[in-house]
């Protein structure tokens, strides 16, 4: 990657995604967006790329593209534009069902011409699988489903593959169709609708086979929904146009009319289907070139050895054994499953797959999920005001007024911009993170370290010698479309540990009486431990890193020769104690908050002049007692806590969705009034207006939403940014943000 200039900011990746057969759509935490672009000329002519910034090609050439592959290029974008032109021509000529097209606000096409965009990844992986159904075992999965519903009397997997051989669209055409139809968002909406229509979601968790039958039967009966229309467009001729007539045939209609017979067949076939699904997953993990798993491809730039840890190294080694013919795919699958169990075994103790699956289902199908589904199902009327907000964010000229109560709390907008950059940088590949952090004027202390196991999220410590400040940046759940392996493990851990447990005070490892006082006053607060760091990570990694940071700040000549980490207490005899900041986004926000709590309870704050948390988009971390304990401890230690939430972002409401109160200080970006306002408690969750063609999770993005919104708090905050595409998905590419003078 070319060397980056100071303040370099990279293209956004959408949010996080959880992959599981019965609920992946429900917990899809990613930005799913459509777009528009102009293509001129026929397929053999040079296409003009209409982008927000006409210097796009020069920008890419001089700065490089983050996490680039051979498909990330101007020529790749031109190929995509050709497919877009073909789609538009087919639409004009009546070959595309108008019902599937989205017509709300959306970003431009070049936002999707990057290999770390979910639409690009999904479309590429889908094309690879459809092109090689037998190799990946997708034909077995399809046969199982057809047999459960006796649809194999109507169509067979071999018949479907024969039709695809005749006219499967190209990869670029599938990417464009995925984008134009909005199938990912429609899939989420359809699953949400199906779940909202169930009388009792808890009962579904007790019988996963029945859950599978009920949801799929309902989906097959509703042949007029957008999802099937999307699929028919994506598959193209001749299979696509034949899909809905097949589903509407008497055979297909009758197949869903006998629930008892379907359940009986499902119980017989389901174990085989699960085995086929597991084999399908392993095949993709091992061989699909578009599966974004740089750690399994031994990409040192994207996944250095320190990031993998022993568990990841073992998985990588065994993958190589498979490729060399020294290990079977089945053995690799068992090893991978065992690694997954070990990852959650210590806190949860799952030893068998059925037990693990049941635990996940219990977390997905319950009363809390019912409330979540109701909230996500409610439509919000169209609002032209939100179009204005998004266009202004795209142009970098949006402005937000900060409410007086927020300012009176000590909130500093420029500090918020600095730490939002740190939070965003923590999601990137290590090389990009280093360049970004250096551009902000910060210096990293040692390597990033895991917070809950080798494959978990990571934190890193930075210093600013000029400002005598230490910053702890915390990664959110790794983007599954970039770090598939770490993202998958992270999401599963989040889900199975989303239940609450009694908080364990670290008083034995504390050198302050405050811990005992809080434990006595709040003896049984509940913490959602799926978002918390392990106690050992705080003592084994965070504390030594903070000690080294303090010593670096004391190193008078700045060469680091005077630095050695003590093994006992922090050095308290510091003439000018530094400031300590914690920063994180999404899961990183919740974990940063827990690290902040842990630091105060252990007395680490005594080594710093002040401790401050700036977080954004964090989920709920505990119950009311837990929140009260945090607020009292914050006040007693003269610390500060600022929690920023975005309008239309559902993640800050999870996992409880209703009546969310995160206490002091929680502030909300109010798009309707262009202001940052106090939100204690948070207002009821509402989806984005219906004329905005973005995913329900698009407003959760740090680089396309929270970071530009932070810049909008300062006059002209986004005007010095070089635009690469509209803010709906990838934000402003290169900005002159800095931490100088704001810590």
């Amino acid at each position: 990657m070319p060397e980056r200039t100071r303040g370099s900011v990279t293209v956004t990746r959408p949010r996080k995604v959880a992959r599981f057969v019965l609920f992946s759509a429900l917990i899809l935490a990613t930005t799913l967006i459509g777009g528009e672009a102009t293509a001129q000329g026929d397929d053999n002519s040079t296409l003009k790329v209409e982008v927000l910034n006409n210097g796009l090609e020069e920008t890419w050439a001089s700065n490089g593209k983050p996490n680039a592959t051979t498909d990330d290029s101007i020529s790749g974008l031109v190929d995509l534009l050709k497919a877009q032109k073909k789609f538009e021509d087919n639409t004009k000529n009546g070959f595309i069902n108008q019902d599937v097209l989205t017509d709300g606000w959306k970003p431009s096409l070049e936002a999707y011409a990057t290999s770390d965009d979910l639409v690009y990844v999904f479309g590429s992986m889908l094309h690879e699988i459809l092109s090689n159904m037998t190799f990946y075992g997708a034909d077995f999965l399809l046969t199982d489903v057809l047999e459960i519903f006796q649809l194999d009397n109507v169509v067979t997997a071999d018949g479907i593959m024969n039709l695809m051989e005749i006219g499967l669209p190209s990869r670029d055409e599938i990417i464009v169709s995925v984008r134009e139809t909005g199938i990912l968002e429609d899939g989420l909406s359809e699953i949400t609708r199906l779940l909202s229509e169930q009388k009792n979601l808890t009962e579904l968790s007790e019988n996963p086979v029945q859950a599978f039958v009920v949801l799929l039967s309902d989906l097959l009966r509703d042949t007029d929904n957008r999802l099937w229309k999307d699929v028919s467009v994506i598959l193209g001729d001749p299979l696509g146009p034949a899909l809905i007539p097949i589903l509407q045939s008497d055979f297909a209609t009758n197949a869903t009319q006998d629930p008892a017979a379907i359940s009986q067949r499902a119980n017989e076939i389901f174990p085989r289907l699960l085995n086929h699904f597991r084999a399908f997953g392993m095949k993709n993990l091992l061989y699909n070139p578009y599966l974004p798993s740089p750690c399994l491809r031994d990409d040192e730039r994207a996944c250095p050895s320190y990031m993998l840890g022993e568990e990841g190294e073992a998985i990588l080694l065994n993958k190589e054994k498979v490729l060399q013919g020294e290990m079977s795919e089945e053995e690799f699958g068992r090893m991978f499953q065992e690694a997954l169990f070990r990852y959650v075994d210590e806190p949860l103790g799952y030893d068998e797959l059925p037990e693990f699956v049941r635990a996940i289902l219990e977390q997905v199908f319950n009363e809390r999920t019912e409330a979540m589904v109701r909230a996500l199902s409610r439509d919000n009327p169209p609002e032209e005001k939100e179009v204005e907000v998004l266009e202004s964010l795209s142009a970098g000229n949006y402005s937000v007024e900060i409410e007086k109560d927020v300012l009176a709390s000590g909130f500093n907008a420029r500090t918020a911009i600095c730490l939002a950059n740190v939070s965003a940088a923590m999601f990137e590949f290590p090389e990009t993170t280093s360049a970004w952090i250096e551009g902000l004027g910060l210096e990293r202390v040692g390597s990033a370290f895991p917070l809950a196991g080798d494959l978990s999220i990571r934190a890193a410590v930075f210093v600013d010698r000029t400002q005598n400040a230490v910053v702890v940046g915390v990664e959110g759940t790794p983007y599954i479309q970039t770090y598939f392996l770490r993202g998958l493990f992270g999401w599963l851990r989040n889900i199975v540990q989303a239940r609450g447990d009694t908080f364990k005070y670290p008083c034995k490892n504390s050198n302050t009486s405050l811990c005992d006082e809080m434990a006595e006053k709040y003896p049984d607060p509940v913490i959602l431990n799926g978002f918390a760091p392990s106690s050992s990570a705080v003592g084994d990694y965070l504390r030594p890193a903070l000690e080294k940071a303090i010593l670096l700040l004391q190193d008078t000549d700045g060469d680091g020769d005077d630095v050695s980490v003590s093994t006992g207490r922090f050095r308290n005899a510091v003439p000018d104690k530094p400031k300590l900041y914690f920063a994180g986004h999404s899961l990183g926000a919740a974990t940063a908050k827990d690290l902040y709590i842990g630091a105060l309870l252990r007395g680490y704050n005594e080594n710093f002049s002040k401790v401050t948390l700036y977080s954004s988009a964090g989920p709920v971390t505990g119950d009311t007692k837990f929140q009260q304990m945090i607020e009292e401890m914050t006040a007693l230690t003269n610390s500060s806590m600022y929690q920023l939430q975005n309008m239309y972002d559902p993640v800050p409401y999870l996992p409880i969705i209703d009546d969310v109160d995160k206490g002091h200080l929680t502030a909300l970006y109010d798009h309707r009034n262009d202001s940052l306002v106090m939100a204690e408690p948070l207002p009821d969750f509402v989806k984005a207006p219906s004329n905005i063609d973005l995913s329900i999770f698009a407003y959760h993005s740090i680089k396309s939403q929270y970071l530009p919104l932070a810049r909008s708090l300062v006059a002209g905050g986004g005007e010095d940014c070089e635009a690469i595409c509209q803010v709906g998905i990838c934000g402003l590419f290169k900005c002159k943000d800095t931490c100088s003078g704001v810590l």
Side-chain angles (χ1 to χ4, degrees), residues 460-509:
V461 174
F462 313 99
V463 297
D464 186 314
R465 297 179 190 246
T466 303
Q467 299 181 85
N468 195 30
V470 179
V471 176
V472 179
V474 183
E475 179 188 28
T477 303
Y479 301 139
I480 208 165
Q481 69 273 19
T482 302
Y483 278 122
F484 174 80
L485 192 63
R486 295 179 62 232
L488 172 65
F489 276 51
W491 266 107
L492 289 177
R493 188 183 185 106
N494 294 347
I495 294 166
V496 298
Q497 292 186 266
R499 60 191 182 193
D501 288 321
T502 301
F503 177 66
K504 297 178 181 178
Y505 287 91
C507 299
K508 290 183 179 180
N509 300 313

Side-chain angles (χ1 to χ4, degrees), residues 21-269:
V21 63
L22 293 181
F23 58 86
S24 60
L26 178 65
I27 53 178
L28 191 66
T30 180
T31 309
L32 314 174
I33 317 167
E36 293 178 349
T38 300
Q40 299 176 349
D42 57 31
D43 285 353
N44 297 317
S45 65
T46 300
L47 296 176
K48 180 180 179 183
V49 182
E50 299 287 353
V51 294
L52 191 66
N53 178 356
N54 291 328
L56 172 64
E57 184 169 3
E58 290 77 12
T59 301
W60 285 6
S62 62
N63 293 281
K65 291 198 63 209
N67 314 334
T69 70
T70 55
D71 296 306
D72 264 350
S73 63
I74 291 296
S75 61
L77 176 57
V78 170
D79 290 341
L80 199 60
L81 285 167
K82 290 178 181 178
Q84 175 72 21
K85 175 70 163 53
K86 181 176 180 180
F87 188 94
E88 292 173 352
D89 288 344
N90 286 340
T91 301
K92 292 176 183 177
N93 292 327
F95 300 139
I96 302 293
N97 187 339
Q98 297 283 342
D99 293 342
V100 307
L101 302 181
T102 56
D103 56 4
W105 184 93
K106 46 190 161 184
S108 52
L109 179 66
E110 78 278 4
Y112 299 87
T114 167
S115 62
D116 55 11
D117 167 60
L118 185 63
V119 169
Y120 182 102
V121 170
F122 177 80
S124 299
M125 288 185 61
L126 179 61
H127 180 267
E128 170 69 12
I129 293 167
L130 293 177
S131 300
N132 302 279
M133 292 273 287
T134 301
F135 177 79
Y136 288 108
D139 54 340
F140 288 136
L141 284 174
L142 183 56
T143 297
D144 291 339
V145 173
L146 292 174
E147 287 183 9
I148 288 174
F149 291 92
Q150 288 192 328
L151 290 173
D152 52 331
N153 294 325
V154 183
V155 62
T156 64
D158 286 340
I160 290 175
M161 288 190 292
N162 288 336
L163 288 175
M164 284 192 292
E165 288 179 5
I166 295 173
L168 181 67
S170 71
R171 182 165 64 93
D172 287 318
E173 289 169 349
I174 286 183
I175 291 171
V176 168
S177 296
V178 168
R179 167 183 170 272
E180 288 294 336
T181 60
I183 186 174
L184 294 170
E185 172 63 9
D186 289 343
L188 175 61
S189 299
E190 186 63 21
I191 295 297
T192 301
R193 180 189 67 79
L194 291 172
L195 291 174
S196 67
E197 293 175 353
Q198 306 307 312
K199 294 181 179 179
N200 190 332
L201 287 180
T202 304
E203 292 180 359
L204 295 183
S205 70
E206 298 172 356
N207 189 338
V209 176
Q210 184 64 22
F212 176 81
V213 169
V214 168
L215 296 179
L216 192 53
S217 295
D218 288 348
L219 184 60
L220 288 171
R221 279 193 292 266
D222 185 12
T223 59
D224 196 43
N225 69 59
R226 280 184 61 105
L227 187 57
W228 290 123
K229 295 176 182 178
D230 292 345
V231 172
S232 67
V233 169
I234 291 170
L235 292 177
D237 289 334
L239 180 57
L243 177 65
I244 292 180
I246 290 174
L247 294 173
Q248 291 175 338
S249 68
D250 291 340
F251 284 106
T253 302
N254 294 335
T256 60
Q257 301 304 313
D258 190 351
I262 294 173
S263 294
Q264 181 179 348
R265 289 192 298 273
N267 280 303
E268 296 171 356
I269 296 173

Side-chain angles (χ1 to χ4, degrees), residues 613-691:
L613 167 73
Y614 275 82
S615 68
S616 59
V620 176
T621 57
D623 68 355
T624 301
K625 290 183 180 179
F626 187 66
Q627 183 60 44
Q628 291 172 344
M629 180 267 288
I630 297 171
E631 290 197 22
E632 181 169 343
M633 187 168 52
T634 296
L636 290 173
T637 57
N638 192 33
S639 301
S640 298
M641 186 168 58
Y642 304 106
Q643 305 171 96
L644 302 179
Q645 326 292 339
N646 192 18
M647 197 171 193
Y648 310 129
D649 180 4
V651 174
Y653 293 82
L654 302 179
I656 61 178
I657 209 71
D658 291 328
D659 303 321
V660 177
D661 188 350
K662 297 186 176 182
H664 189 75
L665 175 127
T666 304
L668 178 75
Y669 289 109
D670 182 352
H671 295 208
R672 290 170 178 158
N673 298 297
D674 303 326
S675 58
L676 181 69
V677 301
M678 296 285 280
E680 303 168 8
L682 284 174
D684 291 341
F685 172 72
V686 292
K687 291 170 62 176
S690 57
N691 59 324

Side-chain angles (χ1 to χ4, degrees), residues 533-668:
S534 67
S535 180
S536 60
V538 177
D540 295 344
Y541 297 117
L542 178 62
R543 173 173 173 151
L546 292 177
E547 288 181 329
K548 187 171 183 178
I550 291 176
L551 293 170
L552 277 171
L553 293 174
Q554 295 175 12
D555 183 23
T556 53
D557 57 12
D559 61 7
D561 291 341
D562 303 331
V563 175
S564 61
V565 180
S566 64
T567 56
R569 287 173 173 265
F570 277 26
R571 294 188 179 186
N572 292 316
V574 181
D576 184 14
K577 292 183 179 181
K579 294 155 283 188
L580 175 61
Y581 294 89
F582 289 91
H585 177 80
S586 190
L587 172 62
T591 307
K593 185 176 180 179
D594 288 335
L595 285 175
Y596 163 86
I597 298 162
L600 296 182
L601 287 172
R602 289 171 173 81
Y604 295 177
N605 57 297
E606 295 177 5
N607 300 276
F608 299 92
S609 60
K610 187 172 178 64
V611 181
T612 304
L613 167 73
Y614 275 82
S615 68
S616 59
V620 176
T621 57
D623 68 355
T624 301
K625 290 183 180 179
F626 187 66
Q627 183 60 44
Q628 291 172 344
M629 180 267 288
I630 297 171
E631 290 197 22
E632 181 169 343
M633 187 168 52
T634 296
L636 290 173
T637 57
N638 192 33
S639 301
S640 298
M641 186 168 58
Y642 304 106
Q643 305 171 96
L644 302 179
Q645 326 292 339
N646 192 18
M647 197 171 193
Y648 310 129
D649 180 4
V651 174
Y653 293 82
L654 302 179
I656 61 178
I657 209 71
D658 291 328
D659 303 321
V660 177
D661 188 350
K662 297 186 176 182
H664 189 75
L665 175 127
T666 304
L668 178 75

Side-chain angles (χ1 to χ4, degrees), residues 259-279:
I262 294 173
S263 294
Q264 181 179 348
R265 289 192 298 273
N267 280 303
E268 296 171 356
I269 296 173
F270 203 73
R272 185 180 76 201
L273 186 148
L274 282 179
N275 285 332
H276 287 157
F277 182 79
R278 180 161 44 196

